[in-house]
Amino acid sequence: MNDQHAEVSRPERGHRPSGRTTPVRPDASGDRSPGVRTGRSRGRPMVASLVGLVVAISGCATSQSAASQGSAAQDSASQGSAAQGALQEAAPSAVPGQGTTPPSETSPAKESAHQTTPAGQVPALPSPDAAIPTDPSRLARSLTTTTTELRRAIDAWRRDGDPGRGSPPEPVVLLALHQQRIYRYLVLNPKVASRTYARLPKALAGQAKDNVTAGRDLRSLVRPISGAVKFRVQPPKPADFLLGHFRHAERRFGVEWEVLAAVMFVETKFGRVRSPSHTGAKGPMQFMPGTWAAYGMGGDIQDTRDSLLAAANYLRASGAPRDYRRALYAYNHSQAYVDAVLLHTRQIKQDIRNYYAYYNWQVFVVTTRGDRRLTGP
């Protein structure tokens, strides 16, 4: 499995066509060492690349390294260029190592109407580059409003749309991106985050702490990219298409679907990142060829269904469902990675709408000049 994660950020925000290769500075996705039949991997520690806080941090299956475009959670580090990607997604759009975001995201003059709409009115949708408030009180209001409206939009999508086919509706995409960007800001600003938690409703405060903590865990594995790197990204398979395969893998191997979803989210932001890692990990669940040979069951490493079944097979052989910590550590030799995956898993279990929200988080890459978004509006 690979160390890379599906988190990559890119200041230049623009939708990238499916399968298009974009030259950017890679995120911290790292490569994982091949797993063995006992479920334990050997070699260098596996690292996640938080694509996202998708981003994508993969274990024995991780293959997205510096070459992956979405490596997460979300959303990796020096131990794996692939892991850097996922971790980057967890972090706000800011210069790595600095506790502030670029002026374009923090300037009060650019604050979106979404954050200032009078009470009683339906908030306007935030623009993809809407400013993120820096004041804890305003941040809390923005996160509360964004999360409330995102849940409503997800409910409408599931009720009136077709999550099993096609793309998510615009409200879901824009609100999820804004939510993700708020969390990325909080990841890089711990003091502001602590003051923001105190101003949030109790339930949302718990969710925010989980997302920010997971983002920091993944971010800790990331080493910013300084050189030009090409990432290949594409739109993910439909949300309910993936959900069906997660549940099928759970029935077959007994590994909870929420865990599989959290791994795929961290590893490749649900398949958005298609580049192999610098160590050769491949596919939506980032498998090293040797691990795939042992657990791929003769399938196609690039196929979503086959890769999910292989991941469940590997996690089961490594200790799941009895010991998820042990199994996830075998997938990626990093306690930070394990903690982040389990935090995202908990959020998905608490409210399935969090799965649909994570599904719409985008791929960011962390660079020495700031985070860059590779996917989304």
Side-chain angles (χ1 to χ4, degrees), residues 36 113 159 195 219 241 318:
V36 295
R159 182 185 64 245
R195 294 168 61 193
R219 181 83 184 194
F241 172 88
S318 303

Side-chain angles (χ1 to χ4, degrees), residues 206-268:
Q207 177 183 357
K209 290 177 182 178
D210 279 359
N211 282 327
V212 173
T213 301
R216 287 179 187 153
D217 286 338
L218 293 173
R219 181 83 184 194
S220 72
L221 303 178
V222 173
R223 182 173 60 184
I225 300 167
S226 60
V229 176
K230 291 184 178 180
F231 289 94
R232 183 169 179 265
V233 295
Q234 68 178 29
K237 298 290 185 182
D240 280 1
F241 172 88
L242 294 177
L243 183 56
H245 287 306
F246 290 140
R247 287 176 166 159
H248 172 67
E250 177 182 39
R251 290 191 298 271
R252 180 165 176 179
F253 291 100
V255 178
E256 296 173 330
W257 76 263
E258 294 93 342
V259 173
L260 294 170
V263 170
M264 190 180 192
F265 168 60
V266 170
E267 291 294 345
T268 62

Side-chain angles (χ1 to χ4, degrees), residues 104-118:
S104 61
E105 293 200 358
T106 59
S107 172
K110 288 188 63 180
E111 186 159 356
S112 70
H114 174 70
Q115 302 166 12
T116 59
T117 300

Side-chain angles (χ1 to χ4, degrees), residues 6 18-20 51 54 56 64 68-71 89 168 173 231-237 242 264-265 267-275 284 356-364 374-376:
S18 167
R20 179 174 180 177
V51 117
V54 333
Q64 303 173 350
S68 306
Q69 311 185 3
S71 297
E89 290 200 57
V173 174
F231 289 94
R232 183 169 179 265
V233 295
Q234 68 178 29
K237 298 290 185 182
L242 294 177
M264 190 180 192
F265 168 60
E267 291 294 345
T268 62
K269 282 297 183 291
F270 295 109
R272 285 178 172 82
V273 176
R274 301 303 295 179
S275 301
Y356 291 96
Y358 290 151
Y359 173 83
N360 284 280
W361 282 21
Q362 303 299 330
V363 175
F364 284 77
L374 297 183
T375 63

Side-chain angles (χ1 to χ4, degrees), residues 60 101 167 201 290:
C60 54
T101 54
S167 303

Side-chain angles (χ1 to χ4, degrees), residues 2-324:
N2 170 12
D3 333 343
Q4 97 185 1
H5 314 293
E7 177 157 313
V8 185
S9 72
R10 156 184 199 105
E12 308 160 9
R13 297 174 177 147
H15 177 67
R16 310 260 173 218
S18 167
R20 179 174 180 177
T21 301
T22 307
V24 295
R25 304 179 191 285
D27 51 349
S29 320
D31 301 323
R32 296 184 181 140
S33 41
V36 295
R37 292 183 185 281
T38 60
R40 297 188 181 183
S41 329
R42 298 174 181 172
R44 295 189 311 168
M46 300 176 182
V47 189
S49 55
L50 191 56
V51 117
L53 247 197
V54 333
V55 353
I57 302 172
S58 50
C60 54
T62 353
S63 69
Q64 303 173 350
S65 58
S68 306
Q69 311 185 3
S71 297
Q74 217 321 17
D75 79 129
S76 107
S78 60
Q79 303 179 359
S81 60
Q84 298 175 351
L87 297 177
Q88 298 164 350
E89 290 200 57
S93 301
V95 176
Q98 297 183 4
T100 56
T101 54
S104 61
E105 293 200 358
T106 59
S107 172
K110 288 188 63 180
E111 186 159 356
S112 70
H114 174 70
Q115 302 166 12
T116 59
T117 300
Q121 296 184 22
V122 177
L125 292 175
S127 69
D129 300 309
I132 303 300
T134 58
D135 173 74
S137 295
R138 292 165 65 198
L139 262 173
R141 287 197 298 271
S142 180
L143 181 57
T144 300
T145 299
T146 299
T147 301
T148 298
E149 294 303 316
L150 176 57
R151 287 173 177 168
R152 290 174 179 169
I154 288 172
D155 286 340
W157 178 31
R158 298 178 65 201
R159 182 185 64 245
D160 305 324
D162 188 357
R165 297 185 180 183
S167 303
E170 182 182 39
V172 173
V173 174
L174 291 176
L175 289 164
L177 174 59
H178 197 66
Q179 180 192 60
Q180 180 185 15
R181 292 177 62 236
I182 291 174
Y183 282 131
R184 290 177 66 85
Y185 177 81
L186 294 175
V187 165
L188 289 187
N189 294 274
K191 292 182 179 179
V192 176
S194 296
R195 294 168 61 193
T196 300
Y197 299 149
R199 293 164 171 77
L200 292 170
K202 184 177 180 179
L204 183 54
Q207 177 183 357
K209 290 177 182 178
D210 279 359
N211 282 327
V212 173
T213 301
R216 287 179 187 153
D217 286 338
L218 293 173
R219 181 83 184 194
S220 72
L221 303 178
V222 173
R223 182 173 60 184
I225 300 167
S226 60
V229 176
K230 291 184 178 180
F231 289 94
R232 183 169 179 265
V233 295
Q234 68 178 29
K237 298 290 185 182
D240 280 1
F241 172 88
L242 294 177
L243 183 56
H245 287 306
F246 290 140
R247 287 176 166 159
H248 172 67
E250 177 182 39
R251 290 191 298 271
R252 180 165 176 179
F253 291 100
V255 178
E256 296 173 330
W257 76 263
E258 294 93 342
V259 173
L260 294 170
V263 170
M264 190 180 192
F265 168 60
V266 170
E267 291 294 345
T268 62
K269 282 297 183 291
F270 295 109
R272 285 178 172 82
V273 176
R274 301 303 295 179
S275 301
S277 71
H278 72 282
T279 59
K282 299 177 181 179
M285 297 298 281
Q286 288 293 275
F287 271 98
M288 291 297 293
T291 309
W292 183 263
Y295 298 95
M297 301 175 290
D300 179 355
I301 197 171
Q302 298 293 349
D303 181 78
T304 298
R305 176 182 179 278
D306 291 349
S307 61
L308 288 176
L309 287 174
N313 182 25
Y314 182 83
L315 290 171
R316 176 61 179 267
S318 303
R322 181 178 56 82
D323 189 342
Y324 279 114

